[in-house]
Amino acid sequence: MKKEHYYTPSSSASTTSGWTAGRRRFADWLPWKLFQDQMNPDKANHGWFIGRYARECLHILPKLPAALKWPVAPTSVLEWHQVDESLREPGIYYGYRPEVSSWTECCHSLFTANNETLNFWTHFFPTVFFIWRTVQLADQWNSKSDGLSSDYAQPFLIYMFSAILYPLMSAIAHGFSALSHRARAVLFFMDYAAINFYAYGSGLLYRAYVLPDSWMQMDANIYLGMCVFLSLASTTLTCTSRAIVRDVVAQRLMRLAAFTLPYIWVSIPLFVRLFDCFRYVEASSSCPTADALRATKLHLCQVIVALLASFCYASHLPERILPGKFDYVGHSHNLLHICGVTATLFQMEGALIDMDVRRSHLIENQLAMMDPFWDQWIPLVVLLGHVLLVAVFGLYIYWNEPQTIPTCNQNKKCH
């Protein structure tokens, strides 16, 4: 029988000293002046800021378990044969949380080693960054005296809302999925819905600022209407895979297809722009200026990183090659989260360049999206549709699934 792993509570003395040192360290690196500089467009350097922020987080995060005293008993982490088959991940042998935990125990687990810790933080920190970036951009646009600024920027704000929502829902799902079997299902329904709402937000962003002129001149009802349909259909398919389908392989294939189809449809015009721009750089209408070429390169980086995220999700590498070696850090879901938010960052910065350099051209040629139908009313309808789907599948889980999965004896393998 393999030895059980436990979270080790800190002593009161070490907790006190760790908390004091943690506060001092926090006060030393808290970058108020840094945030002020980032709010100034003349001083903003987002790459340097993200690198500095990441380095400081790496210094302080290992000290948090010793700096915080949680009013809970030590919580065990389980091995793969101690959890139900539906909870197992390929190549992950250790670090599973108990299926039924309290809210306090779930919060405690976010600061201790298990296979969901980094899944939470790799989406929580990007959520905070995207919120700050949205506030920064909204403040810049509101300060302009041009009356068209708010209408022209409306699609981008809807996109930013979707970019904030999907890592937030993912962080909540990974952080609190151990509450119960039913809670796990409902929280991941919310995660799937947020991802698919982000797919519509990406389509709206592309139609407003990114697509080639030939696609801008087409009827938006076809492109965005299909984005709406695929967004809701993908949520239905992903929720069905968790609520009804029992075969693990079939579940993963259904989710992969559900996330891939909206991405392909949304990105088809972008692929056309990339092909046109990099095949005929000098004569291309898609890259008439150096700024447009720079934006297209960012979009290309977004496509590459998004494909890498899909590969990580589908392949379960590297833990399939070295089982048990990436149980806590570096497994495919960690890489999926990192690649996903990196792709969103490339997408956002590329669209901001397009939004700025193409503004006069789009407005003068009446290609800009000023109709509130697609960037105000339809996003609300799509969001309500996702909420309704989550509620329907949540009720199905409540009526048809037990509160917990029957547990197996820790000395025996399940199934």
Side-chain angles (χ1 to χ4, degrees):
M1 182 177 69
K2 294 186 177 180
K3 185 179 180 181
E4 192 85 18
H5 296 272
Y6 292 94
Y7 298 122
T8 304
S10 304
S11 65
S12 58
S14 63
T15 300
T16 304
S17 60
W19 172 242
T20 304
R23 284 189 301 175
R24 186 180 300 110
R25 177 66 177 166
F26 183 78
D28 289 342
W29 73 264
L30 190 64
W32 296 114
K33 183 62 167 62
L34 188 61
F35 274 99
Q36 293 175 0
D37 289 344
Q38 291 297 297
M39 296 295 288
N40 186 341
D42 297 330
K43 297 183 179 180
N45 186 337
H46 304 306
W48 174 83
F49 172 75
I50 295 172
R52 167 73 181 276
Y53 188 76
R55 287 195 301 273
E56 296 295 346
C57 287
L58 290 176
H59 284 297
I60 196 172
L61 282 178
K63 298 180 175 60
L64 283 178
L68 299 175
K69 183 178 180 180
W70 296 89
V72 294
T75 306
S76 62
V77 291
L78 307 177
E79 300 177 12
W80 70 277
H81 61 82
Q82 296 175 283
V83 298
D84 185 77
E85 186 177 9
S86 63
L87 303 177
R88 302 173 190 171
E89 296 292 337
I92 304 297
Y93 287 170
Y94 309 103
Y96 292 94
R97 296 180 299 180
E99 184 204 358
V100 180
S101 304
S102 66
W103 286 93
T104 309
E105 289 171 337
C106 286
C107 292
H108 180 211
S109 71
L110 301 179
F111 299 94
T112 49
N114 59 79
N115 55 24
E116 291 287 9
T117 304
L118 283 184
N119 287 341
F120 174 83
W121 293 109
T122 50
H123 266 174
F124 177 80
F125 283 132
T127 301
V128 176
F129 174 77
F130 291 154
I131 292 174
W132 165 76
R133 191 79 171 103
T134 303
V135 173
Q136 179 197 41
L137 293 171
D139 182 67
Q140 291 178 5
W141 293 329
N142 289 334
S143 64
K144 294 182 179 180
S145 59
D146 188 352
L148 292 176
S149 294
S150 59
D151 293 334
Y152 183 69
Q154 182 69 24
F156 195 92
L157 293 177
I158 297 297
Y159 160 77
M160 287 302 299
F161 174 72
S162 69
I164 292 169
L165 190 63
Y166 90 81
L168 175 62
M169 290 296 102
S170 176
I172 293 174
H174 285 287
F176 299 95
S177 60
L179 288 172
S180 70
H181 173 60
R182 291 174 181 169
R184 177 182 177 87
V186 173
L187 287 173
F188 277 103
F189 292 161
M190 297 167 61
D191 183 20
Y192 302 151
I195 292 173
N196 289 308
F197 182 72
Y198 168 72
Y200 175 76
S202 298
L204 185 65
L205 179 81
Y206 287 166
R207 171 56 186 83
Y209 314 111
V210 178
L211 301 188
D213 289 350
S214 58
W215 286 77
M216 287 283 196
Q217 295 170 359
M218 296 178 61
D219 188 359
N221 296 333
I222 299 175
Y223 178 69
L224 292 179
M226 184 58 69
C227 290
V228 171
F229 171 77
L230 289 175
S231 178
L232 296 173
S234 296
T235 298
T236 304
L237 186 59
T238 50
C239 292
T240 300
S241 72
R242 180 172 287 275
I244 299 175
V245 179
R246 291 293 175 261
D247 183 72
V248 176
V249 176
Q251 287 180 343
R252 296 187 183 281
L253 290 177
M254 290 174 66
R255 292 170 199 167
L256 183 62
F259 295 138
T260 301
L261 291 176
Y263 179 80
I264 291 176
W265 171 259
V266 167
S267 301
I268 285 176
L270 179 63
F271 296 155
V272 173
R273 171 177 171 175
L274 294 175
F275 180 80
D276 180 55
C277 185
F278 291 110
R279 187 177 182 183
Y280 309 104
V281 175
E282 296 182 357
S284 172
S285 60
S286 298
C287 298
T289 64
D291 287 333
L293 179 60
R294 183 159 58 95
T296 307
K297 290 179 179 178
L298 289 172
H299 292 308
L300 177 62
C301 291
Q302 178 266 131
V303 171
I304 294 173
V305 177
L307 292 176
L308 182 59
S310 300
F311 174 78
C312 293
Y313 181 82
S315 65
H316 288 279
L317 295 175
E319 63 266 22
R320 277 191 182 274
I321 299 177
L322 297 172
K325 301 298 184 182
F326 298 93
D327 294 342
Y328 300 102
V329 179
H331 55 76
S332 59
H333 212 89
N334 291 165
L335 301 179
L336 169 67
H337 282 198
I338 295 171
C339 291
V341 296
T342 303
T344 301
L345 187 60
F346 281 131
Q347 183 185 52
M348 180 196 314
E349 297 300 329
L352 280 172
I353 296 174
D354 282 327
M355 182 181 178
D356 184 40
V357 301
R358 301 182 71 188
R359 173 174 174 166
S360 59
H361 171 73
L362 295 177
I363 294 177
E364 290 174 2
N365 292 275
Q366 298 183 346
L367 299 176
M369 182 176 293
M370 299 297 183
D371 187 353
F373 179 73
W374 287 110
D375 57 13
Q376 293 182 20
W377 298 110
I378 292 299
L380 181 61
V381 171
V382 174
L383 185 60
L384 291 177
H386 287 302
V387 171
L388 180 61
L389 287 172
V390 170
V392 169
F393 281 99
L395 289 174
Y396 178 87
I397 289 292
Y398 181 80
W399 288 330
N400 295 276
E401 296 287 340
Q403 180 72 10
T404 61
I405 301 175
T407 57
C408 304
N409 187 286
Q410 65 179 16
N411 296 327
K412 298 179 180 180
K413 293 185 179 181
C414 304
H415 306 285

